[in-house]
Amino acid sequence: MKTDVRTAMLPGSFDPPTNGHVDIITRSARLYDRLYVVIADNVSKSTLFTPDERLAMLQEILKEYSNIEVVTHSGLVVDFAREHGVGVMVRGVRALADFGYEFELAMTNKQLYSGLEVLFLPTSPKYFLLRSSAIKEMAAFGADISTMVPPLVVEKMKERIVPNT
Ligand code: ADP
């Protein structure tokens, strides 16, 4: 499929989706004609929510954005890009610590598919401490996560996690 620089993708685990994800997704959607949010269906990674559960949550949260399509994908993200004519991969960066890893990932992906540009978008300051892994830990100890994730995710986390405390 022909590569289109007006079509972007934002890949990730989104386990679970956070307000930081929603921020970076909706900001990216303003920059491109079409944005795929690509949920990694990675069998080797153990996750709290299945790919289909994460898909359902993100579809509901993002339903008002007509240029965003949420999908699941197993395999290399560059293959998704090739198959769907995606010209740009957006990655959010929070702290400098994210940057080293993201830079190496960008180099690897560029080697695999030179037609794909990678764009780093800095987090909005109010979300820079939000990480899915930390949110899962906090929820396990019964902490209030309602300022960190969309209301739908608060509900789904309550159903899934029985606090340790
Ligand atoms: P991965 O497992 O690929 O790191 P994540 O689900 O953690 O996927 O994140 C998906 C994308 O969203 C990544 O580009 C990540 O950098 C970005 N992201 C996650 N949290 C935030 C945040 N608080 N602010 C900005 N970007 C974020």
Side-chain angles (χ1 to χ4, degrees):
M1 197 170 176
K2 201 173 163 293
T3 303
D4 178 4
V5 290
R6 301 294 316 146
T7 299
M9 71 192 290
L10 207 155
S13 310
F14 309 104
D15 185 50
T18 69
N19 290 340
H21 287 134
V22 175
D23 175 65
I24 211 89
I25 291 168
T26 53
R27 284 166 58 211
S28 302
R30 279 201 291 272
L31 301 174
Y32 297 96
D33 292 341
R34 187 176 175 77
L35 179 74
Y36 289 103
V37 175
V38 181
I39 302 167
D41 182 353
N42 189 343
V43 279
S44 68
K45 212 169 168 180
S46 73
T47 54
L48 184 61
F49 294 101
T50 66
D52 283 344
E53 288 170 333
R54 286 174 269 155
L55 177 76
M57 282 190 269
L58 279 169
Q59 278 176 335
E60 175 62 24
I61 293 162
L62 299 166
K63 66 181 178 199
E64 277 149 41
Y65 295 85
S66 56
N67 68 333
I68 299 178
E69 189 173 341
V70 189
V71 296
T72 60
H73 173 73
S74 56
L76 296 172
V77 288
V78 290
D79 288 340
F80 181 91
R82 269 202 200 93
E83 287 155 20
H84 293 82
V86 171
V88 181
M89 174 163 103
V90 181
R91 293 285 294 176
V93 281
R94 281 158 294 204
L96 200 58
D98 279 351
F99 190 76
Y101 168 75
E102 290 294 338
F103 191 76
E104 281 182 22
L105 199 64
M107 293 303 105
T108 308
N109 283 327
K110 195 76 179 161
Q111 266 178 334
L112 293 172
Y113 181 27
S114 62
L116 183 68
E117 294 299 349
V118 178
L119 191 106
F120 296 136
L121 205 55
T123 181
S124 297
K126 63 177 173 174
Y127 299 125
F128 92 112
L129 286 173
L130 285 190
R131 277 178 202 283
S132 297
S133 52
I135 287 169
K136 281 184 276 193
E137 239 170 81
M138 285 186 264
F141 287 104
D144 178 11
I145 56 164
S146 61
T147 58
M148 304 169 196
V149 298
L152 172 68
V153 178
V154 175
E155 289 313 308
K156 298 286 171 194
M157 293 284 282
K158 272 188 197 146
E159 288 165 24
R160 186 58 47 97
I161 293 185
V162 180
N164 293 335
T165 50

